[in-house]
Amino acid sequence: MTFSSATNGPGSFFSRQRLMPERVTGFTVFLLLLGMVVLWTLAVGWSHSAPDRDGMEELVWASSLELGYSKHPPLPSWVMYGVTQLLGRPVWLPFLMGQVFSALALWFIWKTGCEFTTPARSLVAVLLLSTIVYFGMRGTIFNHNTAQLWSIAAATWLFHRALRSGQTRIWVALGVVSGLSLLTKYSAVIQFAAFAFFLLRHYRTINAATIKGIAIALIAGVLVFSPHLYWLAQHNFEPVLYADKSIVAVSRLDALKSIGSFLVDQLARIAPMILALLVVKRFIHKKHPVQGKKPAWGSTLSPWDRSFLLWVGLAPLVSTVVISMLMGTNLEASWATTFFILFGFYCFWWLSGDDTAVLHTTLITVVVIQVCMAVGYGIARGPVAWYWGNASRSTYPGQQVSQAMQKIWKEHVPGVPLRLVASDMWLGGNTVVHAGRHVEVFLDADYRHSPWLDPHTALQCGALVAYSTEPRGYLSPELAQLYKQTVTQGELEIRWSSDRSPLIKIHWGILPPGDACQAAITHPISAGKQKSLHD
């Protein structure tokens, strides 16, 4: 679709009917976000032969509904489970789901802006914000960071509304959404801390009704989170320990270097928004000169709303850096995925002038940037990476690997369908997503990591055990031990992509079916809890 200011054509019609400031509605925002989802999903889905590692992880974890998993809370895997029941496990599915959650976050950010400015100006902020890497390029990665975007954005909107309106139902909704955010990733507490900082900043305005509302939200959040809390207690708090291990303590000097690299990475990831803002400002100044200096949009906001934007918007990033500095820990760039949700509104301090001109200019600028980034990223990660033979996950020959592994199984175990692949997340996931819904991964040959399997029945119909340590492979001690139990072994070599690419060396072994296998085939039982051996 072309968004043009010309007098003829469908773009002009859309501009006249929907993109005048007074005509901006939720439907307008929905159409624009839908366009973003389609653009990025097509660009990445077309160019990638395999999902990113996090996306593959979610496809594998979606084998069953659990109250928790060994690394993270369960909500993203629940969502992926429901979607895979409808659509199967295609490679492009994680890209689509990542973009859906990114778009949903932008929707709630627009709703937040509508609380203190006009729908049109809020749309300008959302359009500019949509260009940062976390909503576009990395927005195609369906992991717990991206999946948390919507709930952090929704909680921020509800927190603003609850403080303004004081309505009990809003406080309840805030608690529910906050609980869902914790069910996505424990780092949600960073945003909750930002809410607390804002309340402390305005402690004089806190009254009994506000305290009651906070208590209601807290109760609702605990109720939503409590099933997972029970699971944590039953499983030695495994995801919490994993999160703790991911925070690596380093020397003070290394911590400062990490903070510097972290901040440089964040600047690079929000750079497209800065570029879009500069282009809009220059175009408006050149094409729509005004007599006298117009007040910046930010000056029209109330002091309370300006304080909300600054405290709630900046506190996550600032507090994370300060804590890292005090504790001497390493920072990962992706941890900041949810830290920039209000940054689009900071552009208001640099925007002024006619709303119509700013809106149309912003739209055209953002569309051009989004298309260039999506197409460029798709080409770079697809054809270019394939041609140069990079060992990029985007060009991994997952379908060829899966077909070769299925052929090996059929040759050595005729008459018994392949039901289980014991392997690491990447190799096992790429094998099973192309093999049908009835095939599951025995992740690292560790039942703690594979809760969808029943230890008493999982191996009764055998398993294909496979690992690849080069390139980019992993062999767990449990998987190595299971591999030693296989009766037939071999090695498979497949070129990663082009002739320039490295060879993938896959070691495979056959664990033969047991005596109980024929009964399992005849009667639907669970090598994966409640699934039969057939589709």
Side-chain angles (χ1 to χ4, degrees), residues 116-159:
F116 52 76
T117 189
T118 66
R121 290 188 175 185
S122 185
L123 176 58
V124 169
V126 167
L127 287 170
L128 292 169
L129 183 66
S130 72
T131 61
I132 74 172
V133 170
Y134 292 119
F135 291 99
M137 189 183 303
R138 293 191 64 83
T140 60
I141 301 175
F142 185 67
N143 58 18
H144 288 252
N145 295 316
T146 304
Q148 194 181 53
L149 274 169
W150 81 270
S151 56
I152 293 295
T156 301
W157 170 54
L158 291 168
F159 180 62

Side-chain angles (χ1 to χ4, degrees), residues 93-111:
L93 187 58
F95 307 139
L96 171 63
M97 295 309 299
Q99 272 299 295
V100 167
F101 275 69
S102 296
L104 188 58
L106 290 170
W107 169 267
F108 283 114
I109 294 167
W110 176 73
K111 295 287 289 182

Side-chain angles (χ1 to χ4, degrees), residues 180-191:
L180 293 176
S181 190
L182 271 177
L183 281 175
T184 302
K185 195 175 181 184
Y186 305 133
S187 61
V189 296
I190 297 174
Q191 191 65 36

Side-chain angles (χ1 to χ4, degrees), residues 157-167 170-171 174 210:
W157 170 54
L158 291 168
F159 180 62
H160 187 283
R161 292 201 70 192
L163 291 176
R164 286 289 192 168
S165 70
Q167 297 180 27
I170 304 298
W171 284 109
L174 173 61
T210 302

Side-chain angles (χ1 to χ4, degrees), residues 375-392:
V375 174
Y377 182 70
I379 292 175
R381 296 281 289 173
V384 173
W386 188 94
Y387 175 78
W388 289 110
N390 299 330
S392 169

Side-chain angles (χ1 to χ4, degrees), residues 436-459:
R437 293 187 181 183
H438 60 286
V439 187
E440 302 290 357
V441 180
F442 186 10
L443 189 54
D444 296 329
D446 190 336
Y447 288 109
R448 292 180 304 115
H449 299 162
S450 310
W452 47 87
L453 299 179
D454 184 342
H456 298 97
T457 60
L459 296 175

Side-chain angles (χ1 to χ4, degrees), residues 197-212:
F197 292 150
F198 178 75
L199 290 173
L200 290 174
R201 171 64 180 82
H202 295 273
Y203 70 93
R204 291 187 179 89
T205 65
I206 297 177
N207 53 31
T210 302
I211 295 174
K212 177 183 176 182

